[in-house]
Amino acid sequence: MKKIAILISGRGSNLEAIVSAKPACEIAVVVSNRPDALGLKFAEKQNIPTEVVDHKNFSSREAFDKALLETLKKYEPDLIVLAGFMRILTEKFINAYPRKVVNIHPSLLPAFTGLDTHQRAIDAGVRLHGCTVHFVTPELDHGPIIAQAAVPVLQGDSAESLAARVLEEEHRIYPMAIQWICKAECSINGNTVSLMGAAKDRGLSFYKC
Ligand code: GRF
């Protein structure tokens, strides 16, 4: 069975969704860069090992990533799942786990990389917004896309109401994509991902209005 490490920074609702979905893998550890992350408490209650690598204790991104790599090494993860992990990882970190780091981003990539995606989607007047699960590459929010879910942007939406609609879909597609990886139902070809078996044709889904 594949071992996964889940990296968080805060509330951990995606972590909860992944744990509740019981994917075909062992959740070897939950690591947070913030000692007060709510998700740590949830992991402890589930008897999942936890670790804190507090970014405030390191003077550079490189030093933080080195400590993070050392912590992860103990658990020998096959997959690293970024679930609301709010640190940008260095190329060295990503190259230590090639094609083995995944992230969920709250937009339909390649639109709205970076932060404040919901407000930026509203300001741009798009009718569709959503979330993307992708493999992580050194270029921020640009790796091969595994799954996306689209939601409507409704008249009068605030960033908060739109974020809530997107989050519901995040909780659905992230566990699903992790399951596909654990069951070897997806493979990377260049910048695209091929889905096989039960995953085939399920990489895109729409919110049911
Ligand atoms: C999610 O919206 C995720 O897409 C973004 O940060 C948020 C984390 O939420 N990167 P949670 O900690 O999983 O509740």
Side-chain angles (χ1 to χ4, degrees):
M1 192 179 277
K2 280 196 180 11
K3 290 207 271 184
I4 70 171
I6 304 184
L7 274 51
I8 62 167
S9 297
R11 133 190 98 170
S13 69
N14 277 289
L15 162 71
E16 284 195 37
I18 295 163
V19 172
S20 308
K22 299 188 173 48
C25 59
E26 177 195 334
I27 302 174
V29 65
V30 170
V31 185
S32 173
N33 66 302
R34 295 180 60 121
D36 58 350
L38 270 181
L40 286 172
K41 292 199 173 62
F42 169 79
E44 280 159 17
K45 273 196 205 129
Q46 303 290 319
N47 294 318
I48 300 168
T50 59
E51 298 268 4
V52 174
V53 183
D54 188 342
H55 64 278
K56 291 202 187 107
N57 294 338
F58 300 90
S59 57
S60 67
R61 209 180 278 287
E62 286 71 23
F64 169 74
D65 278 11
K66 189 164 177 271
L68 191 57
L69 281 172
E70 274 159 21
T71 300
L72 287 168
K73 207 171 162 192
K74 291 190 271 177
Y75 298 90
E76 299 180 328
D78 300 295
L79 181 70
I80 298 186
V81 173
L82 309 182
F85 183 66
M86 301 307 283
R87 306 293 302 172
I88 296 174
L89 294 165
T90 57
E91 195 160 346
K92 194 166 177 197
F93 182 99
I94 293 158
N95 290 340
Y97 289 99
R99 302 171 165 208
K100 287 183 174 173
V101 185
V102 291
N103 181 42
I104 185 140
H105 182 76
S107 80
L108 290 174
L109 290 173
F112 309 118
T113 59
L115 297 172
D116 298 324
T117 56
H118 308 303
Q119 189 58 53
R120 285 161 57 212
I122 291 169
D123 293 345
V126 295
R127 298 288 190 201
L128 280 177
H129 185 45
C131 51
T132 303
V133 181
H134 65 97
F135 285 102
V136 173
T137 55
E139 195 180 354
L140 187 69
D141 300 330
H142 271 83
I145 290 171
I146 305 163
Q148 293 187 301
V151 307
V153 180
L154 302 178
Q155 302 235 2
D157 255 337
S158 61
E160 291 70 29
S161 62
L162 183 54
R165 197 173 304 120
V166 171
L167 193 65
E168 213 178 293
E169 295 300 295
E170 291 184 32
H171 294 165
R172 201 172 55 72
I173 68 167
Y174 211 5
M176 191 170 79
I178 291 165
Q179 176 78 343
W180 295 342
I181 298 167
C182 292
K183 293 180 78 184
E185 287 181 346
C186 72
S187 66
I188 310 177
N189 311 304
N191 200 40
T192 63
V193 171
S194 301
L195 300 176
M196 294 153 281
K200 201 165 175 285
D201 301 325
R202 293 190 62 209
L204 169 67
S205 47
F206 293 96
Y207 178 88
K208 288 164 197 68
C209 298

